[in-house]
Amino acid sequence: MGLMSIVSGKFSPLKIPGCTLWLEADRGITLVDGKVSAWADQSGNGRHAIQGAVDNRPTYATNQLNGYPAMQSAEGKGLQIVDTGIVSLTALTMILVFKANDVTTNQVILGTNTTGVAQILNNTMRVYLDTGIGGDFAYTSTATSILVLVFDGAQVGNENRYKAFLNGEQKALSFTGTVPDTFPTKTDLYIGAYTGLYDYCFTGLIVVPFLSFPSVLTSSRRQQIERHYSSKYAIALA
Amino acid sequence: MAFVTTTDKAELEKYQAEVDSKEGYPEDLARHIYVGGGIHAPKELGQAKHYAEIIQHPDKTEYALPQSVKAEVTAKLTAVEALPVDWVKEEVMMEDK
């Protein structure tokens, strides 16, 4: 009965225990003159992404991905989540859904003050835990993508501790540095940007910049989320 | 738009208040519109409170600059950190010409 109640009915990340942060482009948006001033956390934890500087506000675009709205990010535009409280975890699962305009320039989809948690550079997706620690895999697509990052500090070895799934397929990461057994402290996060100066901004559409759980989701849970966003945003899964 | 370069915080705040008043800041929250279902953030969280933001040079000199040129000028200030302060001020003031 418990499991049935989880898998039946309309999907919501909140049906999966432990959702710590959930931003989605058709929910919780605050607009001023067509620009996004706030993007509310749907998890109930109040980790809202905000932008109080008029010139740094991204545009909100309707009817973009499979008919759904999206945040149109561009150079100098982004949102900040102040004090995420996501610090030194031993396990973490993060999900992002986005569509890049190009894959050659340096663009941060999700960043911190010191590094890009997920960034695109020269046909490569770079997923970082901290400066100098992370992994790369080839990324050449300008189609809508689902990226799932899984950190499991209880495991041994880089490739066991940190994994990346693109559109349902696990990618082989080319690692730099040694992945620690706790996720490095992350306080402030930036959506579509990097640092408070809004450098290396993502150019494209973002619909789910951050959906996170403080645990390693089981494969079936992860696939449930991937199937949901695949259906919602018409993304082909591997 | 004239720039103010001064270390006098009271003068900067006076300038800031004057410009904000002229430009209509803080933003009127009635212009903040909720879109989509679900939870929404309090409108105050994303409210723009100033037209210009005060930035500080490594030599502690403070500048009140329009948001539109803040990133550019900040980058310039960082880039010329080792040069004489007067030169930096001159460069910043040139933006006004």
Side-chain angles (χ1 to χ4, degrees), chain A residues 169-193:
Chain A
E169 179 188 20
Q170 184 173 352
K171 309 302 288 186
L173 288 168
S174 173
F175 281 98
T176 304
T178 302
V179 177
D181 57 8
T182 57
F183 197 86
T185 299
K186 305 289 179 192
T187 52
D188 294 357
L189 286 168
Y190 293 88
I191 307 296

Side-chain angles (χ1 to χ4, degrees), chain A residues 175-234:
Chain A
F175 281 98
T176 304
T178 302
V179 177
D181 57 8
T182 57
F183 197 86
T185 299
K186 305 289 179 192
T187 52
D188 294 357
L189 286 168
Y190 293 88
I191 307 296
Y194 164 75
T195 80
L197 294 177
Y198 295 93
D199 283 348
Y200 303 107
C201 292
F202 180 68
T203 303
L205 300 169
I206 303 180
V207 286
V208 181
F210 205 37
L211 170 58
S212 76
F213 300 87
S215 61
V216 176
L217 293 186
T218 62
S219 295
S220 63
R221 295 268 204 224
R222 173 176 54 78
Q223 288 162 357
Q224 186 185 8
I225 293 171
E226 288 165 340
R227 280 196 302 272
H228 166 70
Y229 288 120
S230 160
S231 168
K232 181 169 181 176
Y233 294 114

Side-chain angles (χ1 to χ4, degrees), chain A residues 134-150:
Chain A
D136 289 351
F137 65 87
Y139 184 76
T140 58
S141 173
T142 53
T144 313
S145 300
I146 308 171
L147 176 64
V148 179
L149 302 176
V150 178

Side-chain angles (χ1 to χ4, degrees), chain B residues 8-21 54:
Chain B
D8 185 340
K9 287 190 189 244
E11 188 186 335
L12 279 170
E13 282 166 11
K14 186 181 164 191
Y15 166 76
Q16 185 93 67
E18 189 182 313
V19 176
D20 287 347
S21 168
I54 294 166

Side-chain angles (χ1 to χ4, degrees), chain A residues 78-158:
Chain A
L79 296 163
Q80 182 181 15
I81 307 173
V82 179
D83 192 12
T84 59
I86 299 171
V87 295
S88 297
L89 295 170
T90 53
L92 185 64
T93 302
M94 298 180 282
I95 295 107
L96 298 84
V97 183
F98 55 90
K99 182 180 186 300
N101 282 0
D102 82 87
V103 289
T104 55
T105 54
N106 195 349
Q107 307 162 62
V108 176
I109 307 166
L110 180 69
T112 68
N113 263 328
T114 54
T115 191
V117 176
Q119 71 185 91
I120 297 169
L121 173 63
N122 292 336
N123 297 304
T124 298
M125 177 68 70
R126 179 160 292 175
V127 290
Y128 258 151
L129 292 116
D130 210 340
T131 305
I133 305 171
D136 289 351
F137 65 87
Y139 184 76
T140 58
S141 173
T142 53
T144 313
S145 300
I146 308 171
L147 176 64
V148 179
L149 302 176
V150 178
F151 176 78
D152 185 355
Q155 300 301 312
V156 176
N158 283 353

